Amino acid sequence: MKIICNGEQCDVAADTLARVLLELGYAGAVVATAVNGAFVPISLRQNTPLKFGDAVEVLAPMQGG
C-alpha cells in the first residue's frame, strides 16, 4: 500500500501505524506520530489503521539549544 511518510511516498505492507513503524525501522525508537495531521499516542498506534494515501509523520526528539 502506498502512504506518505514524512513527505515522501512509501510502499508498505503493514496496515496499522504500529506495524508501519516496525517496517520502516522505528522499532524501539522514541518518536511522536501523527496520521493525516492528527497526533496518535503510543497507546493507540496498535489499533490505528492506515489506508492508501494516508500521510504519516514520525518525529524524533532533538537535543540542543
Side-chain angles (χ1 to χ4, degrees):
M1 156 176 62
K2 292 192 185 296
I3 63 169
I4 299 169
C5 184
N6 294 340
E8 296 185 21
Q9 283 200 354
C10 295
D11 197 10
V12 296
D15 60 351
T16 66
L17 181 55
R19 290 182 183 151
V20 164
L21 292 174
L22 287 173
E23 188 174 331
L24 296 178
Y26 292 103
V30 177
V31 294
T33 55
V35 176
N36 298 324
F39 173 72
V40 180
I42 294 170
S43 62
L44 297 180
R45 291 177 187 167
Q46 197 72 0
N47 297 318
T48 300
L50 295 178
K51 62 184 182 316
F52 181 89
D54 277 348
V56 175
E57 293 293 326
V58 182
L59 304 168
M62 297 180 73
Q63 294 183 0

